[in-house]
Amino acid sequence: MAVLPHAETGTEDDRSHSRSRHAAAPPAHPAPESARSVALVTGASSGIGAAIARSLAAQGRWTLLVAGRDPERVARVAAETDGTPLVNDLSTPDGVRRLVRSAVDAAQRIDLLVASAGVGWAGPFVTMPTSAVDDVLTVDLTAVVQLVRLVLPHMLLQRRGHLVLIGSVAGCLGVEGEAVYSAAKAGLGAFADALRYELRGTSVRVTHVVPGVVDTPFFAHRGVPYSRRVPRPIPPERVARAALRAIDRGSREVFVPRWFRIPAGLRALAPAAYRQLAARFG
Ligand SMILES: NC(=O)c1ccc[n+]([C@@H]2O[C@H](COP(=O)([O-])OP(=O)(O)OC[C@H]3O[C@@H](n4cnc5c(N)ncnc54)[C@H](OP(=O)(O)O)[C@@H]3O)[C@@H](O)[C@H]2O)c1
């Protein structure tokens, strides 16, 4: 793998949306196994993680470690991507440790970590069961931090690595009915920013991918369907394309779709005006 350049904030190129939605076509000239870099993708059994795993496979230069919780779904995506299936539950510290151990056992190194595993919960905060609070904070924040804690020393030693953290626009804006999810994703964004400062001068990159609403089983899994008329859900393949571009460019942060940068910027620059608009338009 070429050392990744550290570019300015990435942008999501809408023009590429006209290309094939399913980027899993086999590469014309796949790299020989020995020349490939190793990518560990969590949440690869479904939605955004599966789309990213397929897109990486289509590039033909990655050895893929396909991680998820459901053995059948993991096996299916692993078969499609010629990857190694790794089945783990990330809701316990031991599950995180086991995942890293099995990844290193399988491939001896990790050059790219895509942390896409995540869960949602929607409803009034006071009605949220404490077990759901724990699950959202653990899977969406704590497990990612612990995973990075275990993977990063290897990347620093090998002087090469890229951490791609899948956040959410909920973490940048704060979404009604998703208080804990928004908090977890906000924490992930702050973690990415802080870590990036610490890693200046190293060859380890940190990319925060910030999707809006994506058409995946996420809403079925959380048990509450997506019901807003806008924004319209985008296909996970679009997030995958943006993530791969961000990996190639070493982008720090990428919003998908790109226009979500506007409300996020307004909230940062003019919070009172943003809150008025958010209260009015939801
Ligand atoms: N969909 C959206 O609108 C949207 C928007 C912004 C951000 N995101 C974020 O994007 C990421 C991917 O979500 P998605 O839309 O692809 O949802 P998804 O289709 O429900 O996929 C979630 C993935 O996370 C895995 N996972 C959940 N709990 C886990 C656990 N305890 N241990 C290990 N793996 C676990 C699932 O594994 P199994 O299927 O094997 O159980 C699945 O592979 C999440 O971080 C989510 O917060 C989603």
Side-chain angles (χ1 to χ4, degrees), residues 45-46 48 69-70 73 89-90 116 181 185 212 214 216 221:
S45 51
S46 180
I48 294 170
R69 191 177 39 176
D70 179 86
R73 284 199 285 267
D89 186 340
L90 295 174
S116 187
Y181 179 72
K185 292 295 186 177
V214 190
T216 70
H221 289 159

Side-chain angles (χ1 to χ4, degrees), residues 42-49 67-71 73-74 88-91 115-119 135 139-140 166-169 181 185 210-219 221:
T42 74
S45 51
S46 180
I48 294 170
R69 191 177 39 176
D70 179 86
R73 284 199 285 267
V74 175
N88 269 100
D89 186 340
L90 295 174
S91 61
S116 187
V119 291
D135 204 32
V139 178
D140 294 353
I166 308 296
S168 167
V169 77
Y181 179 72
K185 292 295 186 177
V210 189
V213 184
V214 190
D215 185 11
T216 70
F218 178 84
F219 302 98
H221 289 159

Side-chain angles (χ1 to χ4, degrees), residues 37-251:
S37 300
V38 177
L40 168 61
V41 184
T42 74
S45 51
S46 180
I48 294 170
I52 291 175
R54 290 189 190 104
S55 298
L56 289 169
Q59 289 188 327
R61 56 190 168 98
W62 300 95
T63 294
L64 273 171
L65 305 174
V66 174
R69 191 177 39 176
D70 179 86
E72 274 181 29
R73 284 199 285 267
V74 175
R76 203 176 313 133
V77 178
E80 280 174 47
T81 58
D82 202 17
T84 301
L86 300 176
V87 178
N88 269 100
D89 186 340
L90 295 174
S91 61
T92 67
D94 211 39
V96 178
R97 273 194 295 274
R98 270 201 301 269
L99 173 61
V100 175
R101 206 174 305 129
S102 53
V104 173
D105 283 351
Q108 285 74 54
R109 57 187 292 129
I110 298 168
D111 299 295
L112 170 68
L113 168 67
V114 179
S116 187
V119 291
W121 192 91
F125 173 62
V126 287
T127 68
M128 187 171 184
T130 52
S131 59
V133 172
D134 282 345
D135 204 32
V136 170
L137 291 176
T138 302
V139 178
D140 294 353
L141 181 59
T142 310
V144 183
V145 173
Q146 296 289 8
L147 197 52
V148 171
R149 176 67 189 84
L150 293 176
V151 165
L152 183 55
H154 295 280
M155 291 183 166
L156 288 169
L157 262 181
Q158 72 195 19
R159 295 174 190 277
R160 187 169 69 183
H162 201 141
L163 304 162
V164 176
L165 311 184
I166 308 296
S168 167
V169 77
C172 300
L173 302 180
V175 172
E176 183 179 354
E178 299 182 28
V180 178
Y181 179 72
S182 300
K185 292 295 186 177
L188 198 65
F191 175 62
D193 279 343
L195 199 57
R196 204 178 294 110
Y197 290 126
E198 285 191 30
L199 293 173
R200 268 183 308 200
T202 75
S203 298
V204 179
R205 308 293 173 234
V206 182
T207 296
H208 182 213
V209 176
V210 189
V213 184
V214 190
D215 185 11
T216 70
F218 178 84
F219 302 98
H221 289 159
R222 78 176 184 183
V224 179
Y226 179 69
S227 57
R228 289 166 185 255
R229 284 199 311 135
V230 283
R232 307 269 299 171
I234 60 170
E237 289 75 19
R238 186 166 164 190
V239 182
R241 278 196 298 274
L244 261 66
R245 234 180 347 259
I247 292 166
D248 284 342
R249 296 174 181 172
S251 307

